[in-house]
Amino acid sequence: GQQVMQIPQYQHVQEGEDFTTYCNSSTTLSNIQWYKQRPGGHPVFLIQLVKSGEVKKQKRLTFQFGEAKKNSSLHITATQTTDVGTYFCAGPGGGGSNYKLTFGKGTLLTVNP
Amino acid sequence: KAGVTQTPRYLIKTRGQQVTLSCSPISGHRSVSWYQQTPGQGLQFLFEYFSETQRNKGNFPGRFSGRQFSNSRSEMNVSTLELGDSALYLCASSFAGGSNTGELFFGEGSRLTVL
């Protein structure tokens, strides 16, 4: 079945450093979504990418969707303590259906002030 | 507008018991998905409902079941609980009028501990 893999599993940075998490799918995706889960919280939608090669920015966050629509990345410039949390990518499909999102296992980001 | 509401937020059960969790989606959302979250396995898809129909089911044993009511509220049930069922159970709703899931709005989750 479809697999979505994320690396790294953990990342610890000093405040002000950059951070990148990578997401790879075993199948071509129609779109990819990114979510953030703060410690003790629930996943919150960040963005959806649809087009091949698409790049979107949200303030210090830059999201990319690969040309083959099988990989994606999230880059945070100059991390802040408010960026702490687990970042998940998710793609639709798997099991022959688009009516589900398959999540990667996430990258836990910790930031040392 | 109100977000996704899950009840109960916390519960403790013993092995062999059964549990029912409830989810009220955002008003107007007809799709409800359930996920199991554990530290080792991340977010695992359980099932998705749309207009009272289960459209997709994950790879969980038959002890895990769910349903959706005409008002889009959903319940999931786990029977004959096992220690490994201890997890955070997350419900997410979406408009999902088309063939893709669309953005998911998650509830706070129900944290189940099985002793």
Side-chain angles (χ1 to χ4, degrees):
Chain A
Q2 179 194 59
Q3 293 184 20
V4 177
M5 294 147 286
Q6 268 185 270
I7 55 170
Q9 191 174 359
Y10 307 97
Q11 184 78 59
H12 178 75
V13 300
Q14 289 292 126
E15 190 171 23
E17 292 182 338
D18 291 356
F19 159 78
T20 304
T21 174
Y22 300 91
C23 178
N24 287 284
S25 170
S26 58
T27 60
T28 301
L29 300 170
S30 58
N31 66 77
I32 194 159
Q33 299 180 16
W34 286 90
Y35 291 78
K36 176 184 179 182
Q37 184 174 22
R38 295 181 186 274
H42 58 278
V44 175
F45 175 82
L46 292 176
I47 206 163
Q48 177 173 281
L49 304 173
V50 178
K51 299 177 182 177
S52 169
E54 188 170 15
V55 178
K56 285 189 175 180
K57 292 190 175 184
Q58 290 179 350
K59 298 183 180 178
R60 295 178 295 103
L61 277 61
T62 302
F63 302 85
Q64 293 189 339
F65 200 10
E67 294 290 339
K69 301 183 77 172
K70 294 182 72 174
N71 57 48
S72 181
S73 65
L74 158 59
H75 179 83
I76 301 178
T77 303
T79 54
Q80 300 175 358
T81 55
T82 54
D83 296 325
V84 166
T86 301
Y87 292 84
F88 295 95
C89 63
S97 170
N98 279 329
Y99 304 129
K100 64 178 282 191
L101 273 182
T102 299
F103 282 78
K105 291 196 175 181
T107 296
L108 172 60
L109 171 65
T110 55
V111 180
N112 197 29
Chain B
K1 55 185 176 182
V4 178
T5 304
Q6 291 188 245
T7 57
R9 291 290 313 280
Y10 304 92
L11 65 166
I12 300 173
K13 293 285 187 178
T14 57
R15 281 179 298 174
Q17 287 187 312
Q18 66 93 27
V19 65
T20 299
L21 309 177
S22 179
C23 172
S24 292
I26 291 172
S27 177
H29 285 188
R30 295 163 65 188
S31 169
V32 173
S33 301
W34 288 89
Y35 288 83
Q36 181 195 65
Q37 186 174 33
T38 56
Q41 296 299 317
L43 284 155
Q44 298 287 308
F45 175 79
L46 282 157
F47 20 66
E48 189 263 359
Y49 290 88
F50 184 86
S51 293
E52 302 179 68
T53 299
Q54 185 183 88
R55 296 194 294 190
N56 205 356
K57 189 177 189 300
N59 295 323
F60 279 82
R63 300 185 297 107
F64 292 80
S65 63
R67 58 178 176 169
Q68 187 181 33
F69 303 96
S70 58
N71 61 358
S72 293
R73 190 177 71 84
S74 178
E75 288 182 347
M76 67 163 284
N77 183 277
V78 188
S79 62
T80 320
L81 285 166
E82 300 177 359
L83 295 179
D85 297 333
S86 294
L88 179 66
Y89 290 88
L90 289 161
C91 165
S93 75
S94 71
F95 182 69
S99 62
N100 284 317
T101 59
E103 171 186 351
L104 294 185
F105 294 82
F106 283 87
E108 299 281 353
S110 293
R111 183 163 297 281
L112 170 65
T113 301
V114 182
L115 302 176

